[in-house]
Amino acid sequence: MDTTDAYKELGLDPGVDDAQLKAKWRRLVSRWHPDRNRTSEALLRIQRINKAYHHLCQHRNGALDPPQDASRPAGQTQAKPEKQVVVREVRLSIDEASLGCIRVLRGKFTHVCRTCAGKGQRVLAQACKGCKGSGAIRRAALFGWLWTEEACQDCGGDGRQREHCQPCDGKGERSVKYHHSVRLPAGVRAGDVLTVPGAQHDGLDFSLEIHVVFEPHPFFVLQEGQLRCEMPVDGFAWAANRWVDVPVPGGLQQMRLNRHALVYRLRGQGFPLEPRGPRGDYLVTVVPTFPEAEDAQQQKLIDRLIEASTRAADADPNSPLGQWRASLKAWNKH
Ligand SMILES: [Zn+2]
Ligand SMILES: [Zn+2]
């Protein structure tokens, strides 16, 4: 995604300021947040919106808010360190978000050198050595018959001595490496923004702004904060109330099937109701699956099963099937 596309995605003009950018992004997030917007488009949209915002924040970082102290004499103490926000996207799976996790974030960001205000050199109070402070260099022209004056290249014509900026090595910008271990609390949601206070560097107070994005999960979906899973189960195992393995955040768990139920509620195994709060319920929907056509051996086994279960029903005076079969037989004698 390039910068033009990113502005287009957010429906913004490149001339907007940071506050307008942030306000628009917040409006779009609240509109397209998958917790609130259940259209199939929402997840894709929120990811594109966050990507665009993320891109623009990085693009504008450093380019915006140039240091204000360009003309401040060296050595003067700064009143308050300026804030520098480094935006990072963090992709989580739904189970990581359910349980909380730790992410190690490392990277690098560059900012305008505050010592030289991005110029790569410092202007000193003394006169330029190249032109002795006049700002101009005289050059002989036409075999020395004439002199011309040109602006001094050392000082750009203002006559003041320059010094190569040491802190940025003349590049005008400095880069900072960061390495943070960040704890993401259980219940964090896609679209959430977390701020991690950072360290100071070159008089800048920098913090990490983490934008949470959910990765699609092979088993789990989150619908209106409700963790769900739909899984096929063997139809015979279901009919026989057998145990099956079900995925829960953090691993597998055994669950007993019940031939009268298709939806199962696993209490306290779902997504936290609110960040750091207790976990909600987890709903598992089973889809009993039978073979399309039973093979000869399965046919034989099913026949035996039917025979045995019918015999048992006939022998049980309380069985509705047994009672039905007995009354059918009696009626048919007439
Ligand atoms: Zn510098
Ligand atoms: Zn000069």
Side-chain angles (χ1 to χ4, degrees):
M1 177 177 291
D2 71 14
T3 306
T4 315
D5 290 340
Y7 282 113
K8 215 179 275 173
E9 180 66 46
L10 301 180
L12 285 172
D13 187 89
V16 294
D17 64 25
D18 284 6
Q20 290 169 314
L21 171 67
K22 192 155 196 161
K24 183 64 189 282
W25 168 74
R26 285 204 182 280
R27 276 205 303 281
L28 287 171
V29 166
S30 73
R31 178 170 163 208
W32 291 101
H33 198 293
D35 279 0
R36 271 164 245 140
N37 189 323
R38 285 195 288 151
T39 59
S40 55
E41 201 191 341
L43 188 63
L44 273 176
R45 241 348 253 280
I46 197 84
Q47 289 185 344
R48 289 216 314 266
I49 288 161
N50 282 333
K51 199 170 170 186
Y53 180 61
H54 178 63
H55 177 88
L56 290 178
C57 286
Q58 283 200 327
H59 176 74
R60 294 162 76 114
N61 235 347
L64 293 165
D65 304 317
Q68 302 299 307
D69 64 340
S71 57
R72 186 182 292 164
Q76 183 175 323
T77 51
Q78 289 147 13
K80 220 200 299 180
E82 282 177 51
K83 292 209 185 308
Q84 181 95 14
V85 178
V86 181
V87 176
R88 274 289 302 254
E89 188 181 88
V90 170
R91 306 181 76 83
L92 297 179
S93 65
I94 292 172
D95 42 343
E96 285 175 311
S98 304
L99 301 173
C101 61
I102 290 176
R103 276 292 157 88
V104 176
L105 302 177
R106 45 178 118 221
K108 203 167 86 168
F109 73 92
T110 57
H111 64 89
V112 176
C113 173
R114 289 163 63 83
T115 308
C116 63
K119 294 187 179 72
Q121 47 180 222
R122 293 207 299 156
V123 180
L124 304 179
Q126 71 238 42
C128 169
K129 285 175 189 151
C131 60
K132 299 191 173 55
S134 71
I137 297 278
R138 295 183 75 193
R139 281 191 203 285
L142 287 172
F143 314 104
W145 296 342
L146 284 171
W147 291 88
T148 60
E149 283 208 340
E150 288 175 6
C152 169
Q153 295 205 341
D154 291 351
C155 61
D158 70 2
R160 291 166 73 188
Q161 180 64 28
R162 259 63 175 174
E163 182 187 68
H164 182 79
C165 177
Q166 299 289 340
C168 67
D169 196 21
K171 289 197 274 288
E173 60 175 31
R174 297 177 65 178
S175 62
V176 188
K177 280 188 184 155
Y178 63 90
H179 183 159
H180 268 297
S181 187
V182 177
R183 177 179 289 278
L184 294 140
V188 71
R189 283 157 201 250
D192 281 357
V193 175
L194 308 172
T195 303
V196 182
Q200 282 212 4
H201 185 268
D202 188 27
L204 286 170
D205 201 356
F206 93 88
S207 56
L208 273 180
E209 190 172 287
I210 294 172
H211 294 191
V212 178
V213 174
F214 278 179
E215 302 265 20
H217 197 278
F219 308 136
F220 303 125
V221 289
L222 199 58
Q223 280 175 353
E224 293 174 65
Q226 174 85 66
L227 189 69
R228 290 169 176 270
C229 172
E230 184 178 292
M231 58 183 267
V233 290
D234 185 289
F236 297 115
W238 175 70
N241 300 336
R242 293 295 155 90
W243 291 86
V244 285
D245 282 337
V246 291
V248 297
L252 284 179
Q253 188 174 302
Q254 288 258 299
M255 182 180 86
R256 179 142 210 184
L257 294 170
N258 171 352
R259 74 177 71 121
H260 301 296
L262 292 173
V263 181
Y264 301 76
R265 180 177 289 269
L266 277 64
R267 299 211 179 270
Q269 302 267 35
F271 201 76
L273 302 168
E274 56 195 59
R276 298 179 182 84
R279 287 169 67 190
D281 296 345
Y282 169 40
L283 294 185
V284 178
T285 302
V286 301
V287 182
T289 306
F290 295 92
E292 277 306 313
E294 294 84 6
D295 62 24
Q297 200 206 348
Q298 284 170 333
Q299 292 276 10
K300 226 182 258 173
L301 290 169
I302 292 166
D303 287 345
R304 279 172 56 192
L305 187 63
I306 294 169
E307 204 181 300
S309 96
T310 308
R311 207 185 306 126
D314 287 347
D316 178 1
N318 294 321
S319 159
L321 176 64
Q323 289 168 2
W324 167 260
R325 282 170 52 82
S327 51
L328 209 60
K329 209 190 248 173
W331 174 77
N332 199 33
K333 279 183 184 153
H334 293 300

